[in-house]
């Protein structure tokens, strides 16, 4: 009876929150729908003539220089090349990357791949379909499925070896005759009177060269050495991932990502091929136990192994004994660009979030769709100041999707980490139980997580619905002073988690992008 009352209370709360959210969203959509349709119409009309008419001036041998050929750089090169731009890509290392992150693409990211014509890049690399998540806590688990009923049967998440995926993207890009991919290390941006005109780089054999283009897009990843001249980087490193590959085992829930709410922090598992399972153990802080002296193996066996599901326990221990253990810092960096004529930042060089939710590639691919649609009407990229002012709208248009995924990643990580504080414990348990309720309680958050419905208002509604659910449980069967105090601290703690993240993302751009002046800027008019 108490559970039924609780669910009724939560449904009533959600109804009010969603009704408010719906009205605000519809109001914004009515105000901007005409502008969006006109912009889309211009984009479509221009695309047919891009190959011949939309050429930049003759002072350079490319329309666009892209620094970096990772997921963002390779996908952008193919996208702009397909639209007729002459694209020059400079990548530090053209061998197949070997990373322990960037291996899980959410369904929203896969839809962006389709939009960009890159969906075949997940073929022939033994990629695995992912249909949702399994959440484990204290011996219990719940399955959270992606809401894919309205989509084609091929639409799902994908998990794979990161390097194989990137190589397929590079191959796809260079299959276009107007895309040039070369190996080199970009050392600096070439500026003239505050305008970026190109780059200086070193070839594989040490030769120093320069390349010029009206627009330079920096996509050189989380270790970018160019971002400082284009943005204000505030990089936070809340934790590190310890990565291993488990073999000869099956996950408890096939074709699902697994999140174990361990102590002190979450453990992730998901398939990256038909025979391999990626395991990522989150270690809070910037220091991890030493691998070389055996401290890491001891930590994994004594602290982590007892929390691993029994189906993969033996394979986990075997992977530890094998010793192929790798670490990587988890970085978070809100987007804070300096609008610079002739240059643009994208990908992890520009914006990062905790990789717990696997949202990085979805954000990058969504950004490429936004940028493609902005550039399509432009037949001349040479007017750098005007182009810079126009492309400021990119930073606004990307915000609702990117900020929702970024905020969710940061908030979930803090909620999922263990804490001695009783209010934090209650919030963590409430989150697990809330998602276990099913229906709208799980479908809404999973829609956000998957990138299928990345709406900021929906995120806030569900986040505080979890907090209300946690407080409601504390009040049953009767509210004692201690329970009331813990409930108040729970609400305060929830606010202290999500509001600072949203503030760093930009409240106005995130919730009311149509009020930002750059949102209304029309494409520059071509001069005769």
């Amino acid at each position: 009876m108490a559970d039924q009352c609780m669910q009724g209370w939560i449904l009533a709360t959600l109804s009010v929150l969603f009704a408010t959210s719906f009205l605000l969203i519809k109001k914004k959509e009515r105000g901007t729908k005409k502008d969006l349709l006109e912009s889309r119409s211009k984009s479509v009309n221009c695309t047919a003539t891009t190959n011949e008419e939309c050429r930049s001036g003759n002072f350079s041998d490319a329309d666009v220089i892209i620094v970096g050929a990772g997921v963002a750089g390779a996908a952008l090169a193919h996208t702009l090349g397909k639209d007729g731009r002459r694209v020059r890509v400079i990548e530090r290392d053209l061998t197949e990357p070997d990373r322990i992150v960037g291996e899980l693409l959410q369904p929203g990211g896969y839809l962006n791949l389709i939009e960009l014509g890159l969906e075949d890049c997940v073929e022939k690399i033994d990629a695995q379909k992912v249909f949702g998540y399994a959440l484990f806590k204290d011996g219990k688990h719940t399955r959270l499925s992606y809401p894919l009923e309205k989509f084609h049967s091929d639409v799902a998440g994908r998990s794979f070896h990161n390097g194989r995926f990137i190589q397929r993207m590079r191959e796809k890009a260079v299959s276009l005759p107007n895309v040039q991919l070369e190996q080199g290390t970009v050392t600096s941006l070439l500026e003239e009177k505050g305008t970026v005109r190109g780059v200086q780089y070193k070839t594989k054999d040490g030769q120093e060269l320069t390349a010029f283009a009206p627009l330079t897009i920096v996509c050189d990843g989380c270790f970018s050495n160019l971002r400082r001249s284009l943005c204000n980087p505030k990089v936070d490193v809340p934790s590190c991932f310890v990565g291993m590959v488990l073999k000869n085992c099956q996950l408890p829930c096939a074709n699902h990502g697994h999140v174990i709410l361990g102590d002190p922090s979450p453990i992730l598992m998901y398939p990256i091929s038909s025979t391999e399972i990626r395991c990522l153990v989150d270690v809070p802080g910037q220091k991890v136990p030493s691998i070389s002296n055996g401290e890491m193996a001891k930590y994994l066996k004594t602290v982590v192994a007892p929390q691993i599901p029994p189906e993969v326990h033996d394979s986990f221990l075997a992977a530890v004994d094998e010793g192929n253990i790798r670490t990587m810092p988890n970085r978070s960096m809100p987007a804070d660009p300096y609008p610079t004529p002739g240059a643009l930042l994208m990908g992890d060089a520009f914006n990062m979030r905790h990789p717990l939710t696997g949202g990085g590639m979805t954000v990058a691919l969504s950004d490429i769709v936004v940028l493609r649609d902005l550039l399509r009407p432009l037949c001349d990229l040479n007017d750098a100041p005007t182009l810079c002012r126009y492309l400021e709208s990119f930073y606004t248009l990307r915000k609702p999707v990117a900020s929702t995924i970024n905020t969710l990643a940061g908030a979930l990580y803090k909620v999922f980490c263990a804490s001695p504080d009783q209010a934090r414990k209650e919030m963590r348990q409430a989150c697990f139980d809330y998602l276990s309720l099913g229906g709208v309680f799980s479908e809404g958050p999973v829609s956000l997580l998957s990138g299928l419905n990345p709406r900021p208002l929906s995120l806030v509604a569900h986040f505080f619905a979890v907090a209300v659910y946690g407080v409601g449980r504390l009040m049953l069967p009767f509210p004692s002073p201690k329970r009331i105090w813990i409930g108040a601290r729970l609400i305060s703690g929830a606010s202290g988690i999500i509001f600072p993240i949203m503030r760093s993302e930009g409240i106005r751009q995130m919730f009311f992008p149509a009020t930002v002046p750059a949102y209304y800027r029309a494409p520059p008019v071509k001069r005769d």
Side-chain angles (χ1 to χ4, degrees), residues 103-104 128-130 158-160 251 255-258 269-274 276-278:
E103 299 171 316
L104 180 59
Q128 304 297 298
K129 285 189 176 182
V130 178
R158 293 293 194 283
S159 52
F160 38 67
L251 289 167
N255 296 104
H256 281 65
H258 290 56
M269 293 185 182
Y270 48 86
I272 55 174
S273 75
S274 55
E276 298 166 299
I277 304 296
R278 169 65 72 196

Side-chain angles (χ1 to χ4, degrees), residues 5 30 91 153 165 180 222-223 225 262 270 299 325 454:
C5 292
R30 283 196 300 269
E91 162 60 34
S153 60
F165 179 57
Q180 176 188 350
C222 61
F223 300 105
N225 63 341
Y270 48 86
Y299 175 82
I325 302 170

Side-chain angles (χ1 to χ4, degrees), residues 256-268:
H256 281 65
H258 290 56
V259 182
I260 300 146
L261 302 189
D263 188 357
S265 52
I267 303 160
L268 306 183

Side-chain angles (χ1 to χ4, degrees), residues 9-20 434 440-441 458 461-462 465:
W9 185 20
I10 296 299
L11 278 172
T13 303
L14 275 178
S15 297
V16 174
L17 289 169
F18 282 132
T20 305
Y434 180 90
V440 66
F441 306 106
S458 179
H462 279 289

Side-chain angles (χ1 to χ4, degrees), residues 64-78 87-94 97 166 169-170 173 179-187 189 199 201 216-222 224-226 344-349 368:
V64 180
I65 291 173
I66 297 176
V67 182
V71 171
L76 182 61
H78 175 267
V87 181
R88 186 172 184 177
V89 189
I90 304 173
E91 162 60 34
R92 181 182 59 82
D93 187 357
L94 290 176
I166 287 178
M169 301 264 275
R170 291 172 178 174
V179 175
Q180 176 188 350
L181 176 60
E182 60 184 298
Q183 184 163 316
T185 301
V186 175
T187 55
L189 301 174
V199 299
Y201 67 102
T216 298
I217 304 178
V218 176
C219 307
D220 56 346
C222 61
S224 173
N225 63 341
L226 302 176
L344 198 70
L345 269 172
M346 290 193 70
D348 283 349
I368 291 170

